[in-house]
Amino acid sequence: MPGLGWSIGYLLDLPTPFAAGLILVACCPGGTASNVISYLAKADVALSVTMTALSTLLAALMTPTLTTLLVGSRVAVSATGLFLDTLQVVILPVVVGALLKWRFPRAIASLLPIAPLVAVITITLIVASVVGGGREQILEAGPRLLLAVFGLHSCGFLFGYLAGRAVLGRETAARTVAIEVGMQNSGLAAALAQKHFADLLLAPVPAAMSAVASCLSGSLAAGYWRLRPLAPPRSESESPATGQ
């Protein structure tokens, strides 16, 4: 994904703020919404959760490292600052949430039913704020920016599927990897862009658009795969010629 983000920004000759934001999105870990999409697509949810968890833990090191390498040619990036903020935005909430659930299980259980709604509303407000602030520049960039964002996620789904099929061999696993690769943590990208690309006021815009593109692409993929259920495995005693 980082290589795709850099390549798409270069090929489409995106302005520096949009290119930096797109690369940052590509360097972020998989989004937690991918677990829901995997469930809806009847993919391997256990594999999806495992991949999301591992990529999120690795993000504290890999997101600042990759972003510095790929964006550093366009704008100065503080790897240390990105590392500390990634820890704060990604790792710290997970640790605090786990501790709270351990210490106050009943209170947390009562809050869980409304948690998804709160998350959706919060993300919607963040996206609306970023898009509203850069409305004129977004309209000016128009097709190129849309093509870049949707192209990033579409290519992520495609290459993720091909890689999953080649390495794991199972259709279920291939669909799961496609979803994990194609859906990024756009909220993290928006937060990091706003703080570390302060001189590039439009850098958070690709992240905001990515939140929409990622969920839309994932929902379409889930709907398509849900209508194409996997064939049940054939028993060893079943004859290939007669099916008996």
Side-chain angles (χ1 to χ4, degrees):
M1 287 298 278
L4 280 173
W6 185 90
S7 300
I8 291 172
Y10 178 80
L11 291 173
L12 295 180
D13 193 23
L14 291 178
T16 296
F18 292 150
L22 186 72
I23 292 172
L24 182 56
V25 169
C27 293
C28 283
T32 52
S34 62
N35 306 145
V36 179
I37 296 298
S38 293
Y39 172 76
L40 295 176
K42 296 184 177 180
D44 190 335
V45 179
L47 175 61
S48 175
V49 172
T50 302
M51 291 183 68
T52 301
L54 289 176
S55 67
T56 299
L57 291 174
L58 289 171
L61 176 64
M62 298 307 299
T63 295
T65 300
L66 292 169
T67 303
T68 302
L69 288 173
L70 297 175
V71 181
S73 60
R74 290 176 175 261
V75 62
V77 180
S78 171
T80 303
L82 275 173
F83 172 73
L84 293 175
D85 282 333
T86 304
L87 279 177
Q88 180 181 343
V89 175
V90 175
I91 305 299
L92 183 60
V94 173
V95 173
V96 172
L99 290 175
L100 288 174
K101 188 173 183 180
W102 172 55
R103 294 296 298 172
F104 310 103
R106 292 184 179 179
I108 297 301
S110 65
L111 294 175
L112 286 179
I114 64 170
L117 177 61
V118 173
V120 169
I121 292 175
T122 303
I123 292 174
T124 301
L125 291 175
I126 293 173
V127 171
S129 173
V130 173
V131 172
R135 178 177 176 274
E136 294 181 2
Q137 292 82 357
I138 293 174
L139 291 175
E140 183 179 345
R144 270 195 307 165
L145 184 57
L146 284 173
L147 179 61
V149 173
F150 278 92
L152 174 68
H153 291 288
S154 298
C155 289
F157 272 93
L158 174 62
F159 290 124
Y161 178 86
L162 295 176
R165 192 71 179 175
V167 176
L168 300 176
R170 295 180 292 112
E171 176 67 17
T172 307
R175 295 180 180 185
T176 307
V177 176
I179 294 169
E180 283 298 314
V181 176
M183 300 185 68
Q184 303 296 99
N185 192 332
S186 306
L188 172 62
L192 294 177
Q194 285 181 322
K195 183 167 184 179
H196 292 279
F197 297 154
D199 295 335
L200 305 176
L201 299 179
L202 299 178
V205 170
M209 298 182 67
S210 168
V212 178
S214 180
C215 291
L216 181 59
S217 301
S219 299
L220 290 174
Y224 175 75
W225 279 327
R226 195 174 181 85
L227 295 175
R228 295 174 63 87
L230 299 171
R234 188 165 50 188
S235 64
E236 295 181 0
S237 60
E238 190 176 63
S239 169
T242 63
Q244 299 179 353

